[in-house]
Amino acid sequence: MLNLLKALIAQKRRISIIAVATLLLLIAVAIFYVIKINKRISSQRDELVASAKVEVEQTRLRAPSSDGLTIYMNASDVRAVAVLADTRYLATSGGLVALDEGGTIKRRYTTLDGLTDNDLTALAVFRERLFIGTATAGLMAFDGNAFTGYSFVKPKATRVSILLATETELLVGTLDGGLFEYDGEQFSRRFNSATGADFNRVTALLPYESRLYIGTQDSGLYIWREAHIEHLTTNEGLPSPHVTALAAMPPSLAQAGQIAVATDFAVIGLSDANEIKPVNNRPNVTSLATSDGRLWAGFFDGGLMDLSSSRARAQADSPQERSSLSETPGLPRGVPAVVYASEGKLWALTGEGLLVRDERATAPLFETVVPSLVGEHVLTGDHITSLALDNSGRLWIGYFDSGIDLVASETNERLTHIEDDRVREVNFIAFDSNEDQILAATSRGLVVFDGHLKQSILTRDLNGLVNDSIAHVSIMNVASPVAQSSSGAMPVNISRNRALVLATAGGMTEITGGRVRSLTAFHGLTSNHLYSSVAVGSRLFVGSLAGLVEIENLRVVRTYKTSNSRLSHDWVTALAEADGKLFIGTNGGGVDALLPTGEWISFADDRDAGKFEVNQNAMHFDGERLYVGTSDRGLLVYNTRDRRWKHISAGLASQSVTAITSDDHFIYVGTMNGLVRIEKRIVE
């Protein structure tokens, strides 16, 4: 009995020890998980703080030396309007324009006056300063005398899309860095750092009561309400994830909700409880504005519309009505219009100037505010793709989507503008001095202009080209004259001992003696996507998406790639021959040179050159210097005799240089946003 009692006591003791050990283990596990959770919370808190932290570089901007520089831009595209100290300012495609009380231009500000970019996108007045959004260089502020630049370093952002001033802060929406706030002293990211605010491309902003509505380019609508984010997409009933505009709903449409939301498909109304109701099914809305109790919309295909009107409601119900264009008296037809309401007036911001009318006017006619904004400019477009000078000293300017301007280089007078179904998307222009003709490579074939501007067209269907989308055209000598083809004369003058070489999106076409022959990947090209060509002696070199191709007698003899040569990048965008050397521009590796001996020279490690993106066919040799257009570093100049690089960026119309040509006295530099003429003495 005593032994049994002792055994029970021992067993009970073991059970107690096990229980205590188990309890201690559970406590240890609980403590471990608490520590782990605390660390996770601390890490998330640190990540939240890091995501909310903003690094901005502030710079006092000063005007560069404008000696020897002349800038030409099209400032007729008005993007925003604001008033500071009784002066009305316009943000345009060609800089900042200040108007006097009578509405005439009293001052233009460009990069020659210190602007970081001429392509302006937004304006807002905050704390007695004019804030200016740019397409490529962040934010600027103007106090009426001097400019200050703000560069968003962390997170990186350059493309300001919208500015909105409230009583306490300036909201800065960007297309590549989300939303920033500025209180007059420092920047923050209160809205963008909230849980669920995973947007990056801001297109529209609207503060309403205690909420902030944030429209985005690709992910619908975000609503900041009571320090948390609500997100609406097509799953919740939005017509499209592409939000283009926001506005407070006027009383006449209150039944549809409190907020009007425009997308590229339709306009809807949104209630306080996020209930969605249709307002109008017209697509392609650029903007919304509430004026005199009515809701107005601007459209990409031109015109404005009162969405409160019975006609607009009829259009919302009728597909036939919706298909018709909005035609507003006084507005340019087919030109995108942005509607803006201020000072009891309705403003239309278009690519052909600024127009206005009183919001209560009985007549719907809009009137142009600054006629000289449209009438005085030399350039028709902004994105220049090619430049060429002919024997008469005329400058041919090709545009990405606006045809060709012909300008007298001596007087800077635009002689004519050429634009039609064929001559619209111009990729490259070359002058054939032997035949006194211009060769224009376009997305719809090769267009040849004689001395009287008469056009001849070469296409795939009519002439057997390998592809109509031509990136580049060059002329090379052939070893022996080639007999004229018996198939008939080509609609282009070319000597029998010379050949036209067309680099296209579908391979290469050579035209010799009226005979058309082509090479594709089937014949040995590494890629059918070709960008440039140049003859060096008897050899033809072609730049492609997948390396540099060497061709002799219409046969691929060698392909240079990063894997088998010292080529710095396989994507070859531009070529130029200089004193027997082949200079090769690449998309990311900068410039290389191939010598006649087969030796390679790479400038990637040169501190004055380095690695960068060379824009398509933006290379030009004038007999002494090689000019190279970069995507974001302006113009590089290489003296082939002194073997030195020089960098030119200050005062350019844009840092993206897209086309270059020259004569004895000037260098003509085409950019994404206009033209700059540089006296050659500047680069000597």
Side-chain angles (χ1 to χ4, degrees), residues 175-227:
L175 291 177
D176 53 357
L179 181 61
F180 300 83
E181 308 91 41
Y182 180 59
D183 63 5
E185 294 184 359
Q186 61 183 7
F187 289 86
S188 62
R189 282 169 65 82
R190 182 175 73 259
F191 299 110
N192 227 134
S193 59
T195 302
D198 55 345
F199 56 86
N200 194 47
R201 301 179 179 182
V202 178
T203 55
L205 296 170
L206 177 67
Y208 186 83
E209 296 179 348
S210 61
R211 304 185 291 277
L212 178 66
Y213 293 82
I214 305 163
T216 69
Q217 190 179 65
D218 55 0
S219 54
L221 180 68
Y222 292 80
I223 307 169
W224 189 87
R225 186 198 308 249
E226 298 175 352

Side-chain angles (χ1 to χ4, degrees), residues 403-415:
I404 294 174
D405 279 337
L406 193 55
V407 175
S409 58
E410 291 187 358
T411 62
N412 301 323
E413 175 190 2
R414 188 172 69 201
L415 303 174

Side-chain angles (χ1 to χ4, degrees), residues 224-246:
W224 189 87
R225 186 198 308 249
E226 298 175 352
H228 76 279
I229 291 287
E230 299 170 2
H231 186 198
L232 303 183
T233 67
T234 52
N235 293 331
E236 287 72 35
L238 283 185
S240 164
H242 312 297
V243 176
T244 58
L246 298 165

Side-chain angles (χ1 to χ4, degrees), residues 35-226:
I35 293 173
K36 186 175 181 179
I37 290 172
N38 285 337
K39 284 184 177 180
R40 182 178 298 174
I41 293 173
S42 177
S43 176
Q44 291 177 345
R45 187 185 299 113
D46 291 341
E47 290 178 1
L48 188 62
V49 171
S51 66
K53 186 178 180 181
V54 179
E55 294 181 12
V56 178
E57 292 181 354
Q58 180 176 329
T59 308
R60 193 71 168 174
L61 302 176
R62 293 179 173 82
S65 172
S66 59
D67 180 40
L69 299 179
T70 306
I71 194 168
Y72 306 92
M73 290 182 296
N74 181 350
S76 61
D77 190 356
V78 180
R79 282 76 177 273
V81 182
V83 177
L84 174 68
D86 298 326
T87 298
R88 189 179 306 280
Y89 292 92
L90 310 181
T92 79
S93 53
L96 184 68
V97 177
L99 307 180
D100 62 17
E101 294 180 356
T104 58
I105 298 174
K106 70 175 184 180
R107 180 73 189 271
R108 297 176 186 260
Y109 300 92
T110 69
T111 47
L112 292 180
D113 301 290
L115 299 188
T116 55
D117 189 1
N118 292 308
D119 194 1
L120 308 184
T121 58
L123 294 176
V125 176
F126 179 67
R127 301 285 171 87
E128 299 182 351
R129 288 196 295 169
L130 179 69
F131 284 84
I132 308 162
T134 75
T136 63
L139 184 68
M140 291 182 289
F142 182 54
D143 60 8
N145 295 306
F147 292 93
T148 302
Y150 299 94
S151 178
F152 296 100
V153 178
K154 183 182 179 182
K156 181 71 173 178
T158 59
R159 303 165 61 193
V160 176
S161 54
I162 184 169
L163 296 173
L164 179 66
T166 69
E167 292 183 358
T168 58
E169 59 190 0
L170 175 72
L171 302 179
V172 183
T174 73
L175 291 177
D176 53 357
L179 181 61
F180 300 83
E181 308 91 41
Y182 180 59
D183 63 5
E185 294 184 359
Q186 61 183 7
F187 289 86
S188 62
R189 282 169 65 82
R190 182 175 73 259
F191 299 110
N192 227 134
S193 59
T195 302
D198 55 345
F199 56 86
N200 194 47
R201 301 179 179 182
V202 178
T203 55
L205 296 170
L206 177 67
Y208 186 83
E209 296 179 348
S210 61
R211 304 185 291 277
L212 178 66
Y213 293 82
I214 305 163
T216 69
Q217 190 179 65
D218 55 0
S219 54
L221 180 68
Y222 292 80
I223 307 169
W224 189 87
R225 186 198 308 249
E226 298 175 352

Side-chain angles (χ1 to χ4, degrees), residues 479-500:
S480 59
V482 179
Q484 189 74 24
S485 171
S486 60
S487 60
M490 294 290 292
V492 55
N493 295 324
I494 187 76
S495 302
R496 288 183 299 169
N497 61 344
R498 301 167 76 235
L500 284 184

